[in-house]
């Protein structure tokens, strides 16, 4: 009876030591390593988001640029009343799903690229994408909401009758302000695209430099001296 009690006591002590050892040893609590397929999928998603962010920022830069260098100068050359009527129709036509998707998804996709690269541990690309999203919000979206859209709404209220003199004054004031802010929008969209590209290029170059420094250097092979014939 005494021996069985001693054995049970020893077994309990052994189990207690095992539990304490497992508690002190962090190896048993380490998370499972990421699977290669999951890592590859995450990298593919990040690269896809970055490509889309670059294309969307470039698309919006080209869209605003085209208005500043072609549409508005062409309307300035027309009769003021005709220019006002044409711009009113353009402002109505621009409210379509394609433009809304491009305009509103640009900062969303850029921020998503920043989050995906940050999660993957690629800090430079993540920070550059986040900065590009902020540049787009401050330089393209904010002027659109605060300046260009109110100008469009004021122009939409202009009557089609009233003579050329009121139309000329209205169009001159509208065109100067609208075109200036629109050119700024184009510049900020271009800047956002360049920030994304520059950050990704810098991170790529840094990764190549780290890889080259870690690569083992091959030892030079010395040429064997030719055997000298014995006399």
């Amino acid at each position: 009876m005494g021996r069985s009690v001693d054995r049970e006591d020893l077994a309990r002590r052994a189990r207690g030591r095992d539990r304490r050892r497992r508690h002190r040893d962090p190896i048993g609590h380490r998370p499972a390593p990421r699977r290669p397929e999951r890592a590859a999928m995450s990298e593919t998603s990040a690269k896809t988001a970055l490509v889309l962010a670059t294309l969307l920022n470039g698309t919006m830069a080209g869209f605003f640029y085209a208005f500043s260098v072609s549409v508005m100068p062409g309307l300035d050359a027309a009769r003021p009343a005709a220019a006002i009527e044409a711009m009113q129709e353009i402002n109505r036509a621009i409210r379509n799903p394609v433009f809304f998707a491009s305009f509103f998804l640009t900062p969303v996709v850029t921020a998503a690229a920043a989050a995906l690269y940050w999660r993957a541990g690629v800090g430079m690309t993540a920070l550059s994408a986040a900065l590009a999203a902020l540049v787009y919000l401050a330089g393209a979206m904010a002027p659109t909401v605060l300046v260009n859209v109110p100008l469009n709404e004021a122009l939409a209220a202009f009557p089609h009758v009233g003579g050329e003199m009121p139309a000329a004054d209205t169009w001159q004031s509208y065109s100067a302000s609208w075109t200036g802010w629109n050119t700024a929008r184009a510049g900020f969209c271009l800047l956002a695209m360049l920030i994304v590209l520059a950050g990704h290029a810098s991170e790529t170059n840094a990764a190549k430099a780290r890889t080259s420094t870690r690569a083992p250097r091959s030892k030079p092979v010395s040429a064997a001296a030719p055997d000298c014939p014995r006399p």
Side-chain angles (χ1 to χ4, degrees):
M1 183 68 179
R3 291 182 179 179
S4 62
V5 172
D6 292 340
R7 289 178 181 176
E8 292 178 0
D9 185 53
L10 291 174
R12 283 196 299 270
R13 291 181 181 180
R15 287 194 296 268
R17 286 194 299 269
D18 291 339
R19 284 195 296 269
R20 288 192 296 271
R21 190 180 298 111
R22 286 196 299 268
H23 181 72
R24 289 194 301 266
D25 187 8
I27 296 178
H29 300 279
R30 290 179 182 174
R34 295 179 63 184
R35 296 180 179 178
E37 57 270 17
R38 289 186 179 179
M41 186 180 300
S42 177
E43 183 179 358
T44 302
S45 300
K47 289 182 178 180
T48 302
L50 190 72
V51 171
L52 288 177
T54 305
L55 292 176
L56 286 172
N57 280 285
T59 298
M60 295 310 302
F63 174 80
F64 294 135
Y65 173 80
F67 264 88
S68 291
V69 301
S70 61
V71 176
M72 297 307 291
L75 293 177
D76 288 339
R79 291 186 302 105
I84 291 175
E85 186 175 357
M87 194 65 185
Q88 289 173 341
E89 295 298 328
I90 290 174
N91 290 334
R92 279 191 285 268
I94 203 63
R95 299 173 183 175
N96 60 77
V98 176
F99 172 76
F100 285 153
S102 303
F103 181 74
F104 289 107
L105 285 180
T106 297
V108 175
V109 174
T110 308
L116 290 172
Y117 271 98
W118 183 264
R119 184 179 180 183
V122 187
M124 184 65 69
T125 303
L127 292 177
S128 64
L131 178 60
L134 293 177
V135 168
Y136 181 90
L137 289 173
M141 188 167 286
T144 299
V145 175
L146 299 177
V147 179
N148 292 88
V149 170
L151 287 173
N152 292 339
E153 292 175 350
L155 189 70
F158 185 81
H160 292 286
V161 293
E164 289 293 334
M165 290 301 295
D169 295 338
T170 300
W171 178 254
Q172 184 177 3
S173 175
Y174 170 86
S175 177
S177 180
W178 195 96
T179 305
W181 282 100
N182 183 72
T183 304
R185 292 190 294 181
F188 278 108
C189 289
L190 179 61
L191 177 62
M193 184 188 71
L194 293 177
I195 290 174
V196 172
L197 293 176
H200 184 60
S202 176
E203 184 68 37
T204 302
N205 294 334
K208 289 181 179 179
R210 289 192 298 267
T211 304
S212 62
T213 55
R214 292 175 183 174
R217 296 181 179 179
S218 58
K219 296 181 179 180
V221 180
S222 57
D227 295 335
C228 297
R230 294 182 179 180

